[in-house]
Amino acid sequence: MSVLAVLGGQWGDEGKGKVIDWLAERADVVARYQGGANAGHTVVLNGKQYVLHLVPTGILHPNVRCIIGAGVVVDPLALVEEIQYLRAHGVEVGENLIVGKRTHLIMPYHKVLDAHMEDLLGVNRIGTTGRGIGPAYSDKAARLGVRVSDLLDEKILTERIRVSLALKRRILGGIGLSEEESRALDEGYNLEMCRKVREILAPHVCNTDAEIQGAVESGKRILLEGAQGVLLDLDMGTYPYVTSSNTGVGGALSGLGLPYGKLSAVVGVMKAYCTRVGQGPFPTEIHGEEGERLRSAGGEYGATTGRPRRCGWFDAVAARHCIQVTGLDGLVVTKLDILDGLKAIRVCVGYELEGRRLAAFPAETSTLERCEPVYEEFPGWLTSTAGARSWDALPPRARDYLAALERLTGKNIWLVSTGPGREDTIQVRDPFVALPGRES
Ligand code: GDP
Ligand code: IMO
Ligand code: MG
């Protein structure tokens, strides 16, 4: 048995899709445990690019069972669209995709609330993806959510939508709404939407916690697919500039109903540099032309919203925080090739605040915003690593840079990604081989 959690170790978009797709070649099950269609996981297969938002990345492997667990918030329209997009591209989506009955739905009114909350926040806005994530998780916590199981029972569904909407109308009462937004707050409109998707989604609905238990007991290889990253975690991230779910191991266990003792290892995916989309502190951000060059080299534009990603240097302080709060066992470093053309590469090794060195990643966003990064500089290798498939094929300076990341994070690198394609991967250590003292 091997249960491997693969999660983002920065602010999202670390290349989780690419890594999970690579690992899925040797897996039986891939299970998404949190987030929603705010995620955009890119896989490049035989030169063709697929962007997955809700469907687990394992779907591109015909023999992998894909699970959308209870911790995910599913926009049913987005899911139907994604299923149709995959089928149109020749990807089989049938019994290999299952959606949990406990999973919450994102309704049209959640997206209206998301937009208005951002609007009201003004300069303090989060810069959300606008996919209704925050309002859907708020409803879940407030016990006003609509779940996938409700979708299958017209009477319960009608009642759940009625109760939830009654409150929304009060909240948005004084705000001028467009015609489209008013429609999204109409009971009949929401019900009609549910009826439309019911037929397509019903065959995929099942009790996914039982499914996970069964897979664990029968010794299947299971990948737990994280969305976003630990620095966007609702509790451990840069609050309030975070997403509304637990992106780390806690989210994986609760979002799938998985006993903690069954987890074999936790793998953190980190870019060889850093990016962030949306607002919030980013100590190592590179402004101006230099940042623009990195953005352009890395193709750093959001896979979901197309927004330009803010770019910066690798932040070892933030990385150590992620490692500490999730218990990452090993790292996957992606997009090494994007640094190929740089004469010098910087890594943040510490923070200084008002002349004092900080011992830990600060919990207060206002403090983090005032931190000055302390850098160590490394010489660039100025030669191509793109598509390198072995450690020995890497130039010595690239190896030194990776060794420095290991030293500064205190964790070993298990995989290195040198391109968007499935094959552009270096395996340093097999993530499926059990760690000492863990179940295998
Ligand atoms: P995710 O959300 O963590 O799955 O990451 P995204 O898919 O949003 O963004 C990562 C982007 O980098 C995608 O366009 C990938 O195709 C691409 N990518 C992933 N790994 C590598 C790599 O090692 N090198 C290069 N050049 N591109 C990569
Ligand atoms: P993947 O899985 C990068 C960011 C948004 C915003 C904040 C809150 O592709 O790595 P939300 O819509 O979740 O309420 O937005 O979180 N964000 C992401 N950034 N990658 C993602 O997903 C993200 N999902 C949300 O930009 O700052
Ligand atoms: Mg992404």
Side-chain angles (χ1 to χ4, degrees):
M1 186 275 286
S2 204
V3 183
L4 207 60
V6 182
L7 48 98
Q10 293 166 331
W11 278 286
D13 300 329
E14 299 89 348
K16 298 176 293 292
K18 140 88 200 238
V19 172
I20 291 161
D21 171 67
W22 188 84
L23 288 165
E25 199 136 85
R26 289 179 291 149
D28 304 299
V29 174
V30 177
R32 262 284 298 270
Y33 57 82
Q34 47 69 238
N38 49 349
H41 297 178
T42 314
V43 175
V44 177
L45 185 55
N46 303 323
K48 195 162 149 176
Q49 178 174 291
Y50 301 84
V51 181
L52 298 153
H53 301 286
L54 280 165
V55 174
T57 302
I59 202 76
L60 299 173
H61 296 266
N63 298 321
V64 168
R65 198 154 170 78
C66 290
I67 299 179
I68 298 178
V72 177
V73 280
V74 165
D75 176 342
L77 287 174
L79 181 56
V80 166
E81 204 177 294
E82 197 165 326
I83 291 172
Q84 284 164 351
Y85 153 84
L86 287 166
R87 285 181 181 154
H89 286 82
V91 178
E92 195 207 317
V93 186
E95 284 177 10
N96 53 342
L97 175 69
I98 55 172
V99 187
K101 288 185 181 172
R102 297 178 190 277
T103 308
H104 281 248
L105 294 177
I106 295 193
M107 305 297 282
Y109 48 82
H110 289 131
K111 288 185 233 173
V112 175
L113 276 166
D114 194 347
H116 280 281
M117 273 163 59
E118 286 284 271
D119 207 37
L120 287 170
L121 284 170
V123 290
N124 296 317
R125 73 189 189 284
I126 311 299
T128 71
T129 59
R131 298 297 189 267
I133 304 296
Y137 276 117
S138 302
D139 266 2
K140 174 178 174 174
R143 290 135 313 165
L144 290 169
V146 182
R147 303 198 302 174
V148 165
S149 59
D150 304 332
L151 194 60
L152 307 183
D153 185 319
E154 180 83 8
K155 198 163 157 244
I156 294 176
L157 180 70
T158 309
E159 185 57 11
R160 296 301 298 166
I161 291 176
R162 190 190 64 76
V163 172
S164 194
L165 264 178
L167 230 88
K168 308 290 176 296
R169 281 202 216 92
R170 279 204 190 182
I171 294 167
L172 292 168
I175 294 174
L177 298 174
S178 69
E179 212 175 292
E180 200 184 327
E181 288 174 333
S182 300
R183 221 178 16 247
L185 290 178
D186 178 70
E187 259 172 61
Y189 177 81
N190 282 278
L191 265 170
E192 199 45 49
M193 182 277 287
C194 289
R195 287 185 194 124
K196 267 197 204 138
V197 297
R198 183 184 290 149
E199 216 170 296
I200 302 170
L201 296 184
H204 300 281
V205 174
C206 88
N207 183 350
T208 48
D209 18 311
E211 186 79 24
I212 284 274
Q213 292 304 323
V216 167
E217 264 147 42
S218 55
K220 303 274 194 232
R221 277 186 168 186
I222 306 169
L223 290 175
L224 315 180
E225 176 172 357
Q228 291 82 53
V230 177
L231 298 173
L232 288 172
D233 179 270
L234 185 56
D235 292 303
M236 292 297 137
T238 53
Y239 192 89
Y241 301 101
V242 292
T243 191
S244 301
S245 61
N246 287 117
T247 56
V249 176
L253 302 180
S254 65
L256 291 166
L258 187 75
Y260 79 93
K262 300 295 178 192
L263 202 56
S264 317
V266 186
V267 183
V269 185
M270 298 188 186
K271 271 178 194 162
Y273 50 100
C274 246
T275 62
R276 171 164 208 168
V277 203
Q279 308 306 113
F282 184 2
T284 63
E285 182 167 12
I286 311 170
H287 299 279
E289 234 173 73
E290 206 183 355
E292 184 57 52
R293 268 203 298 276
L294 195 52
R295 180 176 310 123
S296 150
E300 296 296 355
Y301 294 88
T304 296
T305 59
R307 289 179 292 176
R309 294 174 182 153
R310 298 155 66 192
C311 295
W313 301 113
F314 188 92
D315 186 338
V317 183
R320 288 196 292 265
H321 168 71
C322 292
I323 289 164
Q324 217 161 39
V325 300
T326 48
L328 296 183
D329 295 300
L331 305 182
V332 177
V333 174
T334 61
K335 303 192 92 161
L336 183 72
D337 53 303
I338 302 306
L339 303 180
D340 284 351
L342 297 182
K343 280 200 198 84
I345 301 160
R346 297 170 123 193
V347 174
C348 169
V349 296
Y351 291 160
E352 262 184 14
L353 182 68
E354 288 151 11
R356 277 183 309 113
R357 189 79 170 241
L358 291 192
F361 189 74
E364 313 88 337
T365 297
S366 57
T367 306
L368 187 59
E369 271 163 354
R370 289 183 295 125
C371 282
E372 286 292 331
V374 179
Y375 287 113
E376 202 172 308
E377 197 168 280
F378 299 87
W381 40 93
L382 297 170
T383 168
S384 176
T385 62
R389 292 177 194 181
S390 74
W391 184 259
D392 292 339
L394 291 176
R397 282 180 176 173
R399 281 186 247 155
D400 291 347
Y401 179 68
L402 293 171
L405 297 188
E406 290 191 323
R407 166 174 59 83
L408 292 165
T409 58
K411 286 290 156 188
N412 290 325
I413 294 171
W414 292 359
L415 304 174
V416 180
S417 172
T418 57
R422 197 181 270 180
E423 324 71 36
D424 310 329
T425 308
I426 299 170
Q427 178 172 293
V428 185
R429 179 199 190 280
D430 184 354
F432 282 113
V433 170
L435 293 162
R438 301 275 181 92
E439 275 203 43
S440 64

